[in-house]
Amino acid sequence: MTTLKDIPVALDAKALAEKYRIRPGSDQVRQFEELVAEVQEAGRPKALYEVAYIDDKGEDWVSVGGVRLTSRVLRKNLEEAEKLFPYVATCGVEADGLGAAGDDIRRKAWLYLLKGELLEIAVAHVQDHIGRHQQIAKLSSMNPGSGDASVWPLTQQKELFSLLGDVEGRIGVRLTESWLLIPEISVSGVFFPTEADFETCQVCHREHCPSRRAPFSEEAWRALCADEDDGRVETQAEPGGSRGPADPGGRG
Ligand code: SF4
């Protein structure tokens, strides 16, 4: 298990204010920049991952150390793979603790977005770490609960966490009985070696998603999601997913 706790954080308040369309020179921008400084000071994004070897593959599942991960899309994405990298990344309990009961709505909304920025930093860091230490040129990821309900059900969080040991003790992320993560701005999933670019967004039907990273692809959907026996496809999208607002990996 590799735990990453000292992840560098460099938030650019001006660039973020522009990204979130906060009017330059306004009182709001001053308040926003103060909050960015708070998050920069307190924020401790974290991540952990494991190197897991695939010991068997079925039609719509792979077995990793005796744990069965069930997803037709994941199975197809792992056609050539011998190993994968279960991981959890989080904005960290420190930034999560910055919110107070009396905070106004604007501050709460900004804090939510800034915690998403910390999560993006953590995900990019863990992906880079895996790539460098495992000497893998290109990685893609999938996350239980992202995109359409049939892609990789949220209930598979249980199996995923069983591969990762004491996640709460190591980085403070807890899995609830309804398979959600606390802190909320956290993500769990697997990275895997790939040659083709893959984003879950390519097989997600959700419309008007602000976090979409790739357009829906009918070709990818047919190749990865269609039932081979009768060509049926399911198109229901999950209402939430396992990831925070920035959804940097297209995890919905
Ligand atoms: S980011 Fe949006 S489009 Fe992409 S998988 Fe998640 S919900 Fe779907």
PDB file of all heavy atoms in Angstrom, residues 80-111:
ATOM      1  N   GLU A  80      -6.300  -6.419 -21.789  1.00  0.00           N
ATOM      2  CA  GLU A  80      -4.866  -6.704 -21.911  1.00  0.00           C
ATOM      3  C   GLU A  80      -4.125  -6.572 -20.582  1.00  0.00           C
ATOM      4  O   GLU A  80      -2.927  -6.822 -20.511  1.00  0.00           O
ATOM      5  CB  GLU A  80      -4.222  -5.730 -22.912  1.00  0.00           C
ATOM      6  CG  GLU A  80      -4.901  -5.646 -24.272  1.00  0.00           C
ATOM      7  CD  GLU A  80      -4.803  -6.960 -25.035  1.00  0.00           C
ATOM      8  OE1 GLU A  80      -3.823  -7.705 -24.811  1.00  0.00           O
ATOM      9  OE2 GLU A  80      -5.712  -7.234 -25.828  1.00  0.00           O
ATOM     10  N   ALA A  81      -4.808  -6.137 -19.546  1.00  0.00           N
ATOM     11  CA  ALA A  81      -4.112  -5.789 -18.290  1.00  0.00           C
ATOM     12  C   ALA A  81      -3.879  -7.012 -17.412  1.00  0.00           C
ATOM     13  O   ALA A  81      -4.680  -7.947 -17.376  1.00  0.00           O
ATOM     14  CB  ALA A  81      -4.926  -4.752 -17.522  1.00  0.00           C
ATOM     15  N   GLU A  82      -2.753  -6.989 -16.684  1.00  0.00           N
ATOM     16  CA  GLU A  82      -2.461  -8.023 -15.697  1.00  0.00           C
ATOM     17  C   GLU A  82      -2.600  -7.480 -14.278  1.00  0.00           C
ATOM     18  O   GLU A  82      -2.674  -8.235 -13.324  1.00  0.00           O
ATOM     19  CB  GLU A  82      -1.037  -8.538 -15.892  1.00  0.00           C
ATOM     20  CG  GLU A  82      -0.854  -9.248 -17.226  1.00  0.00           C
ATOM     21  CD  GLU A  82       0.587  -9.657 -17.445  1.00  0.00           C
ATOM     22  OE1 GLU A  82       1.460  -9.231 -16.665  1.00  0.00           O
ATOM     23  OE2 GLU A  82       0.823 -10.395 -18.409  1.00  0.00           O
ATOM     24  N   LYS A  83      -2.567  -6.149 -14.173  1.00  0.00           N
ATOM     25  CA  LYS A  83      -2.715  -5.560 -12.843  1.00  0.00           C
ATOM     26  C   LYS A  83      -3.473  -4.246 -12.944  1.00  0.00           C
ATOM     27  O   LYS A  83      -3.585  -3.647 -14.024  1.00  0.00           O
ATOM     28  CB  LYS A  83      -1.361  -5.334 -12.180  1.00  0.00           C
ATOM     29  CG  LYS A  83      -0.422  -4.456 -12.948  1.00  0.00           C
ATOM     30  CD  LYS A  83       0.945  -4.425 -12.265  1.00  0.00           C
ATOM     31  CE  LYS A  83       1.941  -3.649 -13.103  1.00  0.00           C
ATOM     32  NZ  LYS A  83       3.288  -3.628 -12.533  1.00  0.00           N
ATOM     33  N   LEU A  84      -3.988  -3.824 -11.811  1.00  0.00           N
ATOM     34  CA  LEU A  84      -4.673  -2.543 -11.733  1.00  0.00           C
ATOM     35  C   LEU A  84      -4.332  -1.915 -10.383  1.00  0.00           C
ATOM     36  O   LEU A  84      -3.672  -2.534  -9.544  1.00  0.00           O
ATOM     37  CB  LEU A  84      -6.170  -2.703 -11.955  1.00  0.00           C
ATOM     38  CG  LEU A  84      -6.928  -3.769 -11.164  1.00  0.00           C
ATOM     39  CD1 LEU A  84      -7.146  -3.351  -9.732  1.00  0.00           C
ATOM     40  CD2 LEU A  84      -8.272  -4.064 -11.813  1.00  0.00           C
ATOM     41  N   PHE A  85      -4.820  -0.696 -10.190  1.00  0.00           N
ATOM     42  CA  PHE A  85      -4.406   0.077  -9.015  1.00  0.00           C
ATOM     43  C   PHE A  85      -5.629   0.676  -8.319  1.00  0.00           C
ATOM     44  O   PHE A  85      -6.059   1.790  -8.652  1.00  0.00           O
ATOM     45  CB  PHE A  85      -3.427   1.183  -9.437  1.00  0.00           C
ATOM     46  CG  PHE A  85      -2.282   0.666 -10.252  1.00  0.00           C
ATOM     47  CD1 PHE A  85      -2.342   0.686 -11.641  1.00  0.00           C
ATOM     48  CD2 PHE A  85      -1.173   0.098  -9.634  1.00  0.00           C
ATOM     49  CE1 PHE A  85      -1.309   0.167 -12.405  1.00  0.00           C
ATOM     50  CE2 PHE A  85      -0.132  -0.419 -10.388  1.00  0.00           C
ATOM     51  CZ  PHE A  85      -0.204  -0.382 -11.781  1.00  0.00           C
ATOM     52  N   PRO A  86      -6.211  -0.068  -7.366  1.00  0.00           N
ATOM     53  CA  PRO A  86      -7.316   0.515  -6.583  1.00  0.00           C
ATOM     54  C   PRO A  86      -6.791   1.715  -5.808  1.00  0.00           C
ATOM     55  O   PRO A  86      -5.667   1.674  -5.281  1.00  0.00           O
ATOM     56  CB  PRO A  86      -7.704  -0.618  -5.627  1.00  0.00           C
ATOM     57  CG  PRO A  86      -7.074  -1.848  -6.179  1.00  0.00           C
ATOM     58  CD  PRO A  86      -5.865  -1.415  -6.930  1.00  0.00           C
ATOM     59  N   TYR A  87      -7.598   2.776  -5.728  1.00  0.00           N
ATOM     60  CA  TYR A  87      -7.126   3.974  -5.031  1.00  0.00           C
ATOM     61  C   TYR A  87      -8.281   4.729  -4.388  1.00  0.00           C
ATOM     62  O   TYR A  87      -9.452   4.540  -4.767  1.00  0.00           O
ATOM     63  CB  TYR A  87      -6.385   4.913  -6.012  1.00  0.00           C
ATOM     64  CG  TYR A  87      -7.303   5.685  -6.926  1.00  0.00           C
ATOM     65  CD1 TYR A  87      -7.666   7.001  -6.623  1.00  0.00           C
ATOM     66  CD2 TYR A  87      -7.832   5.117  -8.069  1.00  0.00           C
ATOM     67  CE1 TYR A  87      -8.517   7.728  -7.455  1.00  0.00           C
ATOM     68  CE2 TYR A  87      -8.685   5.835  -8.904  1.00  0.00           C
ATOM     69  CZ  TYR A  87      -9.021   7.132  -8.591  1.00  0.00           C
ATOM     70  OH  TYR A  87      -9.877   7.839  -9.405  1.00  0.00           O
ATOM     71  N   VAL A  88      -7.927   5.564  -3.437  1.00  0.00           N
ATOM     72  CA  VAL A  88      -8.852   6.551  -2.867  1.00  0.00           C
ATOM     73  C   VAL A  88      -8.083   7.864  -2.787  1.00  0.00           C
ATOM     74  O   VAL A  88      -6.905   7.880  -2.410  1.00  0.00           O
ATOM     75  CB  VAL A  88      -9.349   6.145  -1.461  1.00  0.00           C
ATOM     76  CG1 VAL A  88     -10.210   7.251  -0.858  1.00  0.00           C
ATOM     77  CG2 VAL A  88     -10.146   4.847  -1.528  1.00  0.00           C
ATOM     78  N   ALA A  89      -8.731   8.954  -3.157  1.00  0.00           N
ATOM     79  CA  ALA A  89      -8.137  10.287  -3.027  1.00  0.00           C
ATOM     80  C   ALA A  89      -9.170  11.193  -2.371  1.00  0.00           C
ATOM     81  O   ALA A  89     -10.378  10.983  -2.505  1.00  0.00           O
ATOM     82  CB  ALA A  89      -7.736  10.842  -4.394  1.00  0.00           C
ATOM     83  N   THR A  90      -8.677  12.205  -1.663  1.00  0.00           N
ATOM     84  CA  THR A  90      -9.588  13.071  -0.908  1.00  0.00           C
ATOM     85  C   THR A  90      -9.054  14.495  -0.787  1.00  0.00           C
ATOM     86  O   THR A  90      -7.839  14.711  -0.817  1.00  0.00           O
ATOM     87  CB  THR A  90      -9.818  12.494   0.511  1.00  0.00           C
ATOM     88  OG1 THR A  90     -10.687  13.356   1.240  1.00  0.00           O
ATOM     89  CG2 THR A  90      -8.515  12.343   1.295  1.00  0.00           C
ATOM     90  N   CYS A  91      -9.991  15.423  -0.624  1.00  0.00           N
ATOM     91  CA  CYS A  91      -9.598  16.804  -0.309  1.00  0.00           C
ATOM     92  C   CYS A  91      -8.972  16.883   1.067  1.00  0.00           C
ATOM     93  O   CYS A  91      -8.225  17.813   1.369  1.00  0.00           O
ATOM     94  CB  CYS A  91     -10.811  17.733  -0.375  1.00  0.00           C
ATOM     95  SG  CYS A  91     -12.025  17.489   0.949  1.00  0.00           S
ATOM     96  N   GLY A  92      -9.274  15.884   1.917  1.00  0.00           N
ATOM     97  CA  GLY A  92      -8.709  15.853   3.274  1.00  0.00           C
ATOM     98  C   GLY A  92      -9.661  16.399   4.321  1.00  0.00           C
ATOM     99  O   GLY A  92     -10.434  17.316   4.059  1.00  0.00           O
ATOM    100  N   VAL A  93      -9.584  15.833   5.509  1.00  0.00           N
ATOM    101  CA  VAL A  93     -10.471  16.261   6.594  1.00  0.00           C
ATOM    102  C   VAL A  93     -10.160  17.692   7.040  1.00  0.00           C
ATOM    103  O   VAL A  93     -11.020  18.384   7.584  1.00  0.00           O
ATOM    104  CB  VAL A  93     -10.385  15.298   7.804  1.00  0.00           C
ATOM    105  CG1 VAL A  93     -10.926  13.932   7.463  1.00  0.00           C
ATOM    106  CG2 VAL A  93      -8.952  15.188   8.313  1.00  0.00           C
ATOM    107  N   GLU A  94      -8.935  18.157   6.795  1.00  0.00           N
ATOM    108  CA  GLU A  94      -8.548  19.501   7.257  1.00  0.00           C
ATOM    109  C   GLU A  94      -9.366  20.572   6.534  1.00  0.00           C
ATOM    110  O   GLU A  94      -9.932  21.471   7.166  1.00  0.00           O
ATOM    111  CB  GLU A  94      -7.054  19.725   7.030  1.00  0.00           C
ATOM    112  CG  GLU A  94      -6.156  18.785   7.829  1.00  0.00           C
ATOM    113  CD  GLU A  94      -5.971  17.430   7.159  1.00  0.00           C
ATOM    114  OE1 GLU A  94      -6.539  17.205   6.077  1.00  0.00           O
ATOM    115  OE2 GLU A  94      -5.252  16.596   7.731  1.00  0.00           O
ATOM    116  N   ALA A  95      -9.423  20.495   5.202  1.00  0.00           N
ATOM    117  CA  ALA A  95     -10.214  21.469   4.437  1.00  0.00           C
ATOM    118  C   ALA A  95     -11.695  21.264   4.721  1.00  0.00           C
ATOM    119  O   ALA A  95     -12.463  22.230   4.780  1.00  0.00           O
ATOM    120  CB  ALA A  95      -9.933  21.330   2.941  1.00  0.00           C
ATOM    121  N   ASP A  96     -12.092  20.019   4.925  1.00  0.00           N
ATOM    122  CA  ASP A  96     -13.493  19.738   5.226  1.00  0.00           C
ATOM    123  C   ASP A  96     -13.901  20.428   6.517  1.00  0.00           C
ATOM    124  O   ASP A  96     -15.053  20.825   6.674  1.00  0.00           O
ATOM    125  CB  ASP A  96     -13.684  18.217   5.345  1.00  0.00           C
ATOM    126  CG  ASP A  96     -15.040  17.788   4.846  1.00  0.00           C
ATOM    127  OD1 ASP A  96     -15.502  18.357   3.834  1.00  0.00           O
ATOM    128  OD2 ASP A  96     -15.650  16.914   5.470  1.00  0.00           O
ATOM    129  N   GLY A  97     -12.958  20.590   7.427  1.00  0.00           N
ATOM    130  CA  GLY A  97     -13.263  21.199   8.720  1.00  0.00           C
ATOM    131  C   GLY A  97     -13.301  22.715   8.695  1.00  0.00           C
ATOM    132  O   GLY A  97     -13.597  23.346   9.713  1.00  0.00           O
ATOM    133  N   LEU A  98     -13.023  23.339   7.554  1.00  0.00           N
ATOM    134  CA  LEU A  98     -13.025  24.806   7.483  1.00  0.00           C
ATOM    135  C   LEU A  98     -14.430  25.401   7.496  1.00  0.00           C
ATOM    136  O   LEU A  98     -14.616  26.550   7.827  1.00  0.00           O
ATOM    137  CB  LEU A  98     -12.304  25.287   6.222  1.00  0.00           C
ATOM    138  CG  LEU A  98     -10.777  25.124   6.214  1.00  0.00           C
ATOM    139  CD1 LEU A  98     -10.216  25.576   4.873  1.00  0.00           C
ATOM    140  CD2 LEU A  98     -10.155  25.927   7.348  1.00  0.00           C
ATOM    141  N   GLY A  99     -15.408  24.617   7.085  1.00  0.00           N
ATOM    142  CA  GLY A  99     -16.788  25.113   7.053  1.00  0.00           C
ATOM    143  C   GLY A  99     -17.344  25.227   8.474  1.00  0.00           C
ATOM    144  O   GLY A  99     -17.063  24.396   9.322  1.00  0.00           O
ATOM    145  N   ALA A 100     -18.109  26.284   8.728  1.00  0.00           N
ATOM    146  CA  ALA A 100     -18.731  26.451  10.047  1.00  0.00           C
ATOM    147  C   ALA A 100     -20.232  26.632   9.862  1.00  0.00           C
ATOM    148  O   ALA A 100     -20.698  27.042   8.786  1.00  0.00           O
ATOM    149  CB  ALA A 100     -18.145  27.666  10.756  1.00  0.00           C
ATOM    150  N   ALA A 101     -20.989  26.339  10.919  1.00  0.00           N
ATOM    151  CA  ALA A 101     -22.456  26.380  10.838  1.00  0.00           C
ATOM    152  C   ALA A 101     -22.970  27.750  10.386  1.00  0.00           C
ATOM    153  O   ALA A 101     -23.939  27.854   9.655  1.00  0.00           O
ATOM    154  CB  ALA A 101     -23.046  26.009  12.187  1.00  0.00           C
ATOM    155  N   GLY A 102     -22.285  28.836  10.823  1.00  0.00           N
ATOM    156  CA  GLY A 102     -22.782  30.176  10.505  1.00  0.00           C
ATOM    157  C   GLY A 102     -22.324  30.722   9.156  1.00  0.00           C
ATOM    158  O   GLY A 102     -22.631  31.869   8.831  1.00  0.00           O
ATOM    159  N   ASP A 103     -21.603  29.950   8.407  1.00  0.00           N
ATOM    160  CA  ASP A 103     -21.084  30.441   7.125  1.00  0.00           C
ATOM    161  C   ASP A 103     -22.213  30.840   6.180  1.00  0.00           C
ATOM    162  O   ASP A 103     -23.261  30.188   6.130  1.00  0.00           O
ATOM    163  CB  ASP A 103     -20.260  29.350   6.440  1.00  0.00           C
ATOM    164  CG  ASP A 103     -18.879  29.218   7.068  1.00  0.00           C
ATOM    165  OD1 ASP A 103     -18.537  30.070   7.908  1.00  0.00           O
ATOM    166  OD2 ASP A 103     -18.180  28.261   6.716  1.00  0.00           O
ATOM    167  N   ASP A 104     -21.974  31.935   5.419  1.00  0.00           N
ATOM    168  CA  ASP A 104     -23.011  32.289   4.449  1.00  0.00           C
ATOM    169  C   ASP A 104     -22.933  31.348   3.242  1.00  0.00           C
ATOM    170  O   ASP A 104     -21.964  30.603   3.062  1.00  0.00           O
ATOM    171  CB  ASP A 104     -22.918  33.759   4.042  1.00  0.00           C
ATOM    172  CG  ASP A 104     -21.622  34.084   3.322  1.00  0.00           C
ATOM    173  OD1 ASP A 104     -21.100  33.232   2.588  1.00  0.00           O
ATOM    174  OD2 ASP A 104     -21.133  35.218   3.487  1.00  0.00           O
ATOM    175  N   ILE A 105     -23.996  31.413   2.454  1.00  0.00           N
ATOM    176  CA  ILE A 105     -24.133  30.458   1.346  1.00  0.00           C
ATOM    177  C   ILE A 105     -22.988  30.600   0.356  1.00  0.00           C
ATOM    178  O   ILE A 105     -22.477  29.602  -0.163  1.00  0.00           O
ATOM    179  CB  ILE A 105     -25.496  30.668   0.648  1.00  0.00           C
ATOM    180  CG1 ILE A 105     -26.606  30.177   1.572  1.00  0.00           C
ATOM    181  CG2 ILE A 105     -25.553  29.943  -0.689  1.00  0.00           C
ATOM    182  CD1 ILE A 105     -27.994  30.402   1.040  1.00  0.00           C
ATOM    183  N   ARG A 106     -22.574  31.871   0.135  1.00  0.00           N
ATOM    184  CA  ARG A 106     -21.511  32.086  -0.861  1.00  0.00           C
ATOM    185  C   ARG A 106     -20.203  31.432  -0.419  1.00  0.00           C
ATOM    186  O   ARG A 106     -19.539  30.750  -1.185  1.00  0.00           O
ATOM    187  CB  ARG A 106     -21.308  33.584  -1.087  1.00  0.00           C
ATOM    188  CG  ARG A 106     -20.309  33.870  -2.200  1.00  0.00           C
ATOM    189  CD  ARG A 106     -20.108  35.346  -2.388  1.00  0.00           C
ATOM    190  NE  ARG A 106     -21.311  36.014  -2.828  1.00  0.00           N
ATOM    191  CZ  ARG A 106     -21.743  37.172  -2.354  1.00  0.00           C
ATOM    192  NH1 ARG A 106     -21.076  37.778  -1.403  1.00  0.00           N
ATOM    193  NH2 ARG A 106     -22.832  37.723  -2.825  1.00  0.00           N
ATOM    194  N   ARG A 107     -19.873  31.632   0.849  1.00  0.00           N
ATOM    195  CA  ARG A 107     -18.634  31.026   1.364  1.00  0.00           C
ATOM    196  C   ARG A 107     -18.713  29.499   1.286  1.00  0.00           C
ATOM    197  O   ARG A 107     -17.749  28.826   0.929  1.00  0.00           O
ATOM    198  CB  ARG A 107     -18.383  31.489   2.801  1.00  0.00           C
ATOM    199  CG  ARG A 107     -17.103  30.912   3.396  1.00  0.00           C
ATOM    200  CD  ARG A 107     -16.909  31.305   4.848  1.00  0.00           C
ATOM    201  NE  ARG A 107     -16.068  30.343   5.542  1.00  0.00           N
ATOM    202  CZ  ARG A 107     -14.760  30.493   5.745  1.00  0.00           C
ATOM    203  NH1 ARG A 107     -14.145  31.550   5.301  1.00  0.00           N
ATOM    204  NH2 ARG A 107     -14.064  29.567   6.389  1.00  0.00           N
ATOM    205  N   LYS A 108     -19.879  28.960   1.638  1.00  0.00           N
ATOM    206  CA  LYS A 108     -20.040  27.498   1.569  1.00  0.00           C
ATOM    207  C   LYS A 108     -19.821  26.998   0.137  1.00  0.00           C
ATOM    208  O   LYS A 108     -19.182  25.974  -0.089  1.00  0.00           O
ATOM    209  CB  LYS A 108     -21.443  27.102   2.035  1.00  0.00           C
ATOM    210  CG  LYS A 108     -21.576  27.060   3.532  1.00  0.00           C
ATOM    211  CD  LYS A 108     -22.962  26.588   3.925  1.00  0.00           C
ATOM    212  CE  LYS A 108     -23.122  26.632   5.433  1.00  0.00           C
ATOM    213  NZ  LYS A 108     -24.500  26.598   5.862  1.00  0.00           N
ATOM    214  N   ALA A 109     -20.403  27.730  -0.823  1.00  0.00           N
ATOM    215  CA  ALA A 109     -20.283  27.319  -2.226  1.00  0.00           C
ATOM    216  C   ALA A 109     -18.827  27.389  -2.689  1.00  0.00           C
ATOM    217  O   ALA A 109     -18.324  26.484  -3.361  1.00  0.00           O
ATOM    218  CB  ALA A 109     -21.161  28.205  -3.106  1.00  0.00           C
ATOM    219  N   TRP A 110     -18.132  28.460  -2.318  1.00  0.00           N
ATOM    220  CA  TRP A 110     -16.726  28.589  -2.706  1.00  0.00           C
ATOM    221  C   TRP A 110     -15.882  27.479  -2.073  1.00  0.00           C
ATOM    222  O   TRP A 110     -15.014  26.902  -2.715  1.00  0.00           O
ATOM    223  CB  TRP A 110     -16.183  29.952  -2.267  1.00  0.00           C
ATOM    224  CG  TRP A 110     -16.666  31.104  -3.073  1.00  0.00           C
ATOM    225  CD1 TRP A 110     -17.210  31.064  -4.326  1.00  0.00           C
ATOM    226  CD2 TRP A 110     -16.646  32.486  -2.684  1.00  0.00           C
ATOM    227  NE1 TRP A 110     -17.531  32.333  -4.738  1.00  0.00           N
ATOM    228  CE2 TRP A 110     -17.187  33.225  -3.755  1.00  0.00           C
ATOM    229  CE3 TRP A 110     -16.219  33.154  -1.542  1.00  0.00           C
ATOM    230  CZ2 TRP A 110     -17.317  34.608  -3.715  1.00  0.00           C
ATOM    231  CZ3 TRP A 110     -16.335  34.536  -1.494  1.00  0.00           C
ATOM    232  CH2 TRP A 110     -16.883  35.253  -2.578  1.00  0.00           C
ATOM    233  N   LEU A 111     -16.160  27.214  -0.790  1.00  0.00           N
ATOM    234  CA  LEU A 111     -15.400  26.178  -0.099  1.00  0.00           C
ATOM    235  C   LEU A 111     -15.598  24.820  -0.779  1.00  0.00           C
ATOM    236  O   LEU A 111     -14.648  24.042  -0.939  1.00  0.00           O
ATOM    237  CB  LEU A 111     -15.835  26.123   1.370  1.00  0.00           C
ATOM    238  CG  LEU A 111     -15.010  25.240   2.304  1.00  0.00           C
ATOM    239  CD1 LEU A 111     -13.530  25.596   2.253  1.00  0.00           C
ATOM    240  CD2 LEU A 111     -15.530  25.351   3.728  1.00  0.00           C
TER     241      LEU A 111
END
